[in-house]
Amino acid sequence: MNAITNHMPTADLQALDAAHHMHPFTTGDEIAAKGARVITGADGVMLCDSEGNQILDAMAGLWCVNVGYGREELADVAARQMRELPYYNTFFMTTHVPVIALSQRIAELAPEGMNTVFYAGSGSEANDTNIRMVRTYWDMKGKPSKKVIISRHNAYHGSSVGSGSLGGMSGMHAQGGMPIPDIHHIGQPNWWAEGGDMNPEEFGLMRAQELEQAIEEMGIDRVAAFIAEPVQGAGGVIVPPSTYWPEIQRICDKYEILLIADEVICGFGRTGNWFGSTTMGIRPDIMTIAKGLSSGYQPIGGSIISDEIAGVINSGEFNHGYTYSGHPVASAVAMENLRILDEEGIVTRVREQTTPYLKQKWDTMLEHPLVGEANLVGMMGSLVLTPHKESRAAFKSDTGTVGFICRERCFANNLVMRHVGDRMIISPPLVINESEIDTLIERAWQSLDECHARLKAEGLMVAG
Ligand SMILES: Cc1ncc(COP(=O)(O)O)c(C=O)c1O
């Protein structure tokens, strides 16, 4: 058996990858035909590939590398913890120091009245926990008929059967028998695509009130919880109108249904506060966490739970857990990551310096002929591509055709920017500095120009 190393020719690595590795959210035949991009290293906000390209990662991996790549401190902590206690579980009355320390720290950072964490290995697992947690909570409160969890179309809450059901991605629901029973979806607050003649505030209110209608229709004795991302991420960085969240909070309070804020992307500084719930002014009962908790250096997720829910669930046995719930190495790395975020003032810097700088640049993208809307909350942003700005028109070509072309141009210009349909999105490492932001904007502009030229040449600049 020959060792497979970074020094092998790219084509050989690609062929081996295509032969034996099935990729998430990828067409296997396409990867076999074109070959995957092979990432060989990373530092700060830059990735390096097997061809020696230096690529600006404006997605922080998958929205997770908040402290940037190449942090020796995190590698050191992981190595130390692996030597001391590489694994032990937290089932059946056992614990260990890394998970004790991390839980205490998360409770300090979390909003008041949220002092307990249940751990998982990922955001998907944590949302699966939430489904069982809220239903068990209502069971134990003597209201077993409260089972329905209301979510939103085009939400993303993970890829397992439970979390994928909570999500509202039709392409996912079409595969593998989802959604599971007792999950209900209402409309999303995507004004650009769905707001019609309403102004954003009217539309935000209308979409929030769909929650009230759904509760009234199903009956309050059936509804357990509402789940949402403070700012939709994978759906296309959709920033809700200002009227949306206050109305959702009012409805959750009125009907006493649990509010689950999925903070998997928004948490740990991405929106300029420790949690997106603070930025959006909401008071959740449960917060889903993952990604930025460890900056992606270790797989770890969890649910931060209100004292009320913890009190109820703790009065019995919660028959639920994962082998890696509260994994010691992941916990130690997460703890060190939180120290870095705090001691380097990264969250404050995002709020007070980096976001205003990026916003000023991001807004200039509106001058580009392809860009209809430029959204930014903290370090997550989107550009909506359109053939006709005034009418907020969509392209005549299949949704995503234009976004895909633009993303390919970004890759060619050494910029990782993702597309969701015909929206281009960014979520860079929180440590990105001003000159790196300038580079991001230059490469994005150049990619948009090249995309625009191709659309015109191919007759694709047409409204549908
Ligand atoms: C809001 C949200 N929730 C949950 C998840 C799922 O997390 P994971 O991929 O760690 O399972 C994601 C992943 O992108 C997410 O964006």
Side-chain angles (χ1 to χ4, degrees):
M1 191 186 70
N2 292 326
I4 295 173
T5 69
N6 273 354
H7 305 295
M8 284 173 69
T10 302
D12 292 0
L13 290 168
Q14 288 170 328
L16 284 166
D17 179 69
H20 305 295
H21 176 198
M22 188 184 282
H23 291 241
F25 289 97
T26 305
T27 305
D29 285 352
E30 192 183 343
I31 234 173
K34 292 188 188 163
R37 187 181 276 248
V38 182
I39 304 300
T40 51
D43 191 38
V45 302
M46 301 302 280
L47 304 169
C48 180
D49 72 8
S50 54
E51 296 293 287
N53 293 306
Q54 293 290 322
I55 308 155
L56 197 157
D57 182 9
M59 283 307 299
L62 279 177
W63 326 77
C64 54
V65 189
N66 287 9
V67 298
Y69 297 95
R71 290 286 189 156
E72 292 287 330
E73 310 93 305
L74 296 178
D76 291 345
V77 162
R80 215 179 305 134
Q81 186 57 47
M82 279 191 194
R83 291 199 175 92
E84 192 175 301
L85 180 70
Y87 176 76
Y88 203 71
N89 67 74
T90 52
F91 286 33
F92 317 134
M93 305 286 287
T94 50
T95 192
H96 50 72
V97 171
V99 81
I100 297 170
L102 180 63
S103 308
Q104 191 259 350
R105 181 65 184 129
I106 291 175
E108 266 172 17
L109 293 171
E112 214 185 312
M114 302 189 82
N115 290 293
T116 307
V117 189
F118 190 100
Y119 290 98
S122 66
S124 301
E125 283 181 3
N127 277 325
D128 277 16
T129 298
N130 293 339
I131 296 174
R132 300 197 63 214
M133 175 92 68
V134 298
R135 291 177 177 171
T136 305
Y137 168 80
W138 287 117
D139 262 352
M140 293 175 78
K141 295 271 281 187
K143 296 185 176 174
S145 63
K146 282 169 89 65
K147 293 257 182 315
V148 175
I149 303 175
I150 301 178
S151 178
R152 308 181 296 182
H153 298 298
N154 198 35
Y156 188 76
H157 296 297
S159 214
S160 57
V161 174
S163 63
S165 297
L166 288 177
M169 302 280 175
S170 49
M172 291 179 70
H173 288 181
Q175 295 176 331
M178 298 195 287
I180 56 171
D182 287 333
I183 309 288
H184 180 84
H185 296 88
I186 59 173
Q188 59 172 335
N190 181 349
W191 174 78
W192 173 274
E194 300 173 8
D197 293 336
M198 281 182 240
N199 68 38
E201 288 69 34
E202 287 165 350
F203 175 72
L205 211 52
M206 190 271 278
R207 274 290 146 93
Q209 285 165 358
E210 285 184 21
L211 176 60
E212 189 155 34
Q213 281 155 23
I215 297 169
E216 295 282 354
E217 274 163 34
M218 276 182 282
I220 183 59
D221 54 329
R222 287 193 58 214
V223 181
F226 173 68
I227 183 167
E229 305 148 76
V231 178
Q232 274 161 275
V237 185
I238 294 161
V239 182
S242 61
T243 46
Y244 182 76
W245 273 116
E247 184 67 358
I248 291 282
Q249 184 71 60
R250 180 192 71 73
I251 296 164
C252 290
D253 290 349
K254 176 176 168 192
Y255 294 92
E256 293 182 356
I257 63 165
L258 300 175
L259 174 55
I260 307 169
D262 186 336
E263 296 270 1
V264 167
I265 288 175
C266 293
F268 305 103
R270 182 140 305 276
T271 68
N273 289 293
W274 281 98
F275 296 100
S277 294
T278 309
T279 306
M280 292 292 136
I282 51 177
R283 285 175 279 102
D285 300 284
I286 296 179
M287 297 198 297
T288 321
I289 53 173
K291 296 193 191 273
L293 170 59
S294 67
S295 284
Y297 279 66
Q298 283 285 294
I300 182 169
S303 307
I304 312 180
I305 305 154
S306 73
D307 298 347
E308 157 67 15
I309 298 177
V312 170
I313 300 280
N314 279 335
S315 68
E317 180 173 332
F318 188 32
N319 298 317
H320 181 77
Y322 308 104
T323 297
Y324 302 127
S325 289
H327 190 286
V329 178
S331 299
V333 168
M335 186 69 183
E336 180 67 0
N337 173 62
L338 297 182
R339 185 193 66 72
I340 293 172
L341 284 170
D342 183 31
E343 288 184 10
E344 294 186 10
I346 293 171
V347 181
T348 313
R349 197 168 74 234
V350 165
R351 186 173 62 247
E352 293 176 4
Q353 290 173 30
T354 330
T355 303
Y357 187 80
L358 176 57
K359 172 135 184 61
Q360 185 207 342
K361 304 268 164 176
W362 200 238
D363 284 349
T364 64
M365 306 294 279
L366 276 170
E367 290 159 25
H368 195 279
L370 265 183
V371 176
E373 194 182 49
N375 304 287
L376 191 82
V377 175
M379 290 290 106
M380 53 197 297
S382 56
L383 302 173
V384 186
L385 307 186
T386 177
H388 190 251
K389 300 184 189 210
E390 291 69 29
S391 60
R392 310 206 310 269
F395 290 95
K396 189 169 178 205
S397 50
D398 289 345
T399 308
T401 308
V402 170
F404 181 78
I405 292 172
C406 189
R407 192 198 66 176
E408 292 305 287
R409 295 324 307 152
C410 291
F411 266 147
N413 289 314
N414 285 332
L415 172 68
V416 176
M417 185 153 67
R418 200 163 126 183
H419 80 105
V420 178
D422 296 324
R423 297 171 78 100
M424 302 307 298
I425 59 176
I426 56 162
S427 166
L430 305 186
V431 292
I432 191 168
N433 65 31
E434 295 184 355
S435 91
E436 289 160 343
I437 288 175
D438 293 346
T439 305
L440 189 167
I441 297 291
E442 272 161 33
R443 291 184 186 179
W445 192 276
Q446 159 109 12
S447 307
L448 284 166
D449 273 352
E450 290 170 8
C451 175
H452 189 214
R454 186 165 154 198
L455 298 184
K456 283 196 293 190
E458 295 182 11
L460 288 170
M461 231 8 229
V462 181

